[in-house]
Amino acid sequence: MRLAVPVKAIGQRFALPILVLASVAMIILGKADTLLFERLRGSFGDIAAPVLGVLSEPVAAVDRAIARFHDMVALYDENGRLREENTRLLQWQQAAQQLATENTRLRELLKLAPDPSASFVSARVIANSGGTYFRSVLIDAGGGDGVVRGQAAITGEGLVGRITEVGERASRILLLTDINSHIPIALDGTRERAVLAGDNSNQPRLLYLPARATVKVGDRVVTSGNGGIFPPGLPVGVIAAIQDGIVRVEPYAELSRLDYLRVVNYGLGGVLPQPVPPRPAKPPRGAAREAP
Amino acid sequence: MRAALTQRGEWSAAQAIPPATILVLSILSVLPLRVPDYAAVTPLLPLAGVYYWTIYRPEWLPPLVTFLCGLVLDLLTGAPLGVSSLLFLLARTAVFSQRRFFINRLFPFMWGGFTLLAAAAIAFLWLLGGFIEGAMLDTRAVTLQWVLTVACFPAVSYLLMRIQRRLLPS
């Protein structure tokens, strides 16, 4: 008991420098090896998820009410626009059905291995990341729901980002605008490959675009499937600006208004460390030639 | 309530109030408001908590508790662990050393102090973030974050003052 007093006094005296050093050490360790911290974050997400889930609901409700009010004001114009769009889409539907049938037939002719079938987990965004340097969101689905690190998160419009931390009930999605986000993409049409790199602005930029590539504002950008993290062909965005050799992409998904989104499992192993499912056997060479 | 918390048995409950309010401010700052570009300029609300309690109840916000508050904020926001802990510890040290200039002074004086602290804190985060990520970012977002943080301070400090007066012994 007598010892306890000086020990406590020393503890109090050196608490500040020790804790400052501990913080610095954590920052450095976190940069070097993230596995331990990732687990810690995952477990913390599980604890925080129910609280954040409850608290984010009224915020979402207010947002939905405002959106509904806006919609009501614009109802008449919107209706006209939608009718027009519907007519156009019906034509597209016809075309898509024809193409789908043709595609299936051609695939059969070529004996192509079928694409892995996708399954989805729907989740709600329960927390944003505050701050200038980090663009991520926390969702209320985790490993228990089938979410795995590396999977793609999408909205109806397009790609949002990828799962970087997984807890049992919650996971974190690194948005494609984050400075750490690098996504292999392809320009729809020319199939030129590049990497979509976030820089914390609202419009991520294209890196490693081949010099010979022709690119213009309005071109569609989709995932290329390189690296095996994402399936090819997920819509990402459109080329928004080309200035001084920097090509910027406007994402289709409205990243600042995320509410519900889907986590996509295509059963791809990818380059991230996780068990790799066996790939379907490739057809033997020349199989296509044998087809009638 | 005041009577209950001032009794000796309830001492620890009262001590939990400063970190609890900082935790609430941390949660408030990560709630997904669907305002365009809000995420990048989210005000640093918990810093206001650290500032307020360091001035009025530094003994209930010891370094270890400050460190843990920062850790929880980093876990909530997804920032590299240790960043907010370091920020809060440095902010606490700076404010504690200048405490006598702020205590029991008029509100504008306290607000002015927070304006300086927030500027230093956000600049620090900007530099540290740049160091960690290896790239310096646009200063417009951080400037706006500073303005919002400073603008939120009167409301936060009013709430904390009410909590302090109602629940904590003088």
Side-chain angles (χ1 to χ4, degrees), chain A residues 280-291:
Chain A
K282 278 192 174 172
R285 282 181 81 113
R289 259 180 274 138
E290 288 164 21

Side-chain angles (χ1 to χ4, degrees), chain A residues 16 19 23 26 31 41 44 55 59-60 63 126-135 172 180 200 202 256-259, chain B residues 30 32-34 36-37 39-40 42 63-64 67 71 74-81 126 130 132-133 135 137 142:
Chain A
L16 185 68
L19 290 168
S23 307
M26 281 170 76
K31 187 84 181 144
R41 285 175 185 286
F44 182 82
L55 288 175
V59 179
D63 186 67
I126 52 172
N128 252 333
S129 61
T132 329
Y133 272 96
F134 320 104
R135 297 288 154 86
R172 189 171 288 279
N180 287 308
N200 286 16
N202 290 334
S256 56
R257 298 181 59 84
L258 294 174
D259 189 0
Chain B
V30 296
L33 298 186
R34 288 166 185 88
D37 299 338
T42 313
L64 182 63
F67 173 82
L71 208 59
D74 284 341
L75 286 169
L76 276 172
T77 59
L81 286 186
W126 182 71
I132 294 172
E133 305 294 353
L137 288 186
V142 284

Side-chain angles (χ1 to χ4, degrees), chain A residues 38-237:
Chain A
E38 230 177 84
R39 284 209 193 115
L40 184 65
R41 285 175 185 286
S43 334
F44 182 82
D46 287 344
I47 300 166
V51 181
L52 291 168
V54 169
L55 288 175
S56 63
E57 191 52 56
V59 179
V62 169
D63 186 67
R64 271 176 234 139
I66 294 171
R68 182 170 289 186
F69 179 74
H70 276 284
D71 288 351
M72 271 167 71
V73 172
L75 206 59
Y76 188 77
D77 293 342
E78 183 82 353
N79 198 25
R81 198 181 61 78
L82 287 176
R83 273 170 197 281
E84 229 169 73
E85 193 175 294
N86 196 30
T87 325
R88 224 178 32 243
L89 287 177
L90 280 172
Q91 289 167 1
W92 273 110
Q93 193 190 26
Q94 290 285 332
Q97 273 167 355
Q98 270 176 15
L99 288 173
T101 322
E102 191 181 316
N103 204 6
T104 324
R105 242 193 26 246
L106 291 174
R107 274 171 184 269
E108 274 169 16
L109 283 176
L110 290 169
K111 290 198 162 46
L112 267 180
D115 284 337
S117 59
S119 60
F120 299 96
V121 180
S122 293
R124 194 162 67 84
V125 171
I126 52 172
N128 252 333
S129 61
T132 329
Y133 272 96
F134 320 104
R135 297 288 154 86
S136 66
V137 293
L138 206 64
I139 56 166
D140 64 352
D145 308 290
V147 175
V148 179
R149 188 168 174 266
Q151 283 173 345
I154 58 171
T155 62
E157 291 90 36
L159 185 72
V160 169
R162 70 181 162 86
I163 305 281
T164 48
E165 293 158 14
V166 184
E168 201 46 34
R169 282 181 294 195
S171 354
R172 189 171 288 279
I173 297 169
L174 189 76
L175 300 182
L176 49 85
T177 47
D178 189 280
I179 200 161
N180 287 308
S181 167
H182 290 86
I183 296 166
I185 57 97
L187 296 175
D188 205 19
T190 61
R191 303 304 298 168
E192 293 288 0
R193 307 288 167 103
V195 169
L196 183 73
D199 57 1
N200 286 16
S201 73
N202 290 334
Q203 296 181 337
R205 49 194 279 194
L206 290 188
L207 298 181
Y208 314 123
L209 190 70
R212 58 185 157 73
T214 49
V215 55
K216 59 181 188 302
V217 172
D219 281 356
R220 254 170 65 90
V221 173
V222 297
T223 53
S224 71
N226 277 19
I229 304 170
F230 294 159
L234 283 182
V236 176

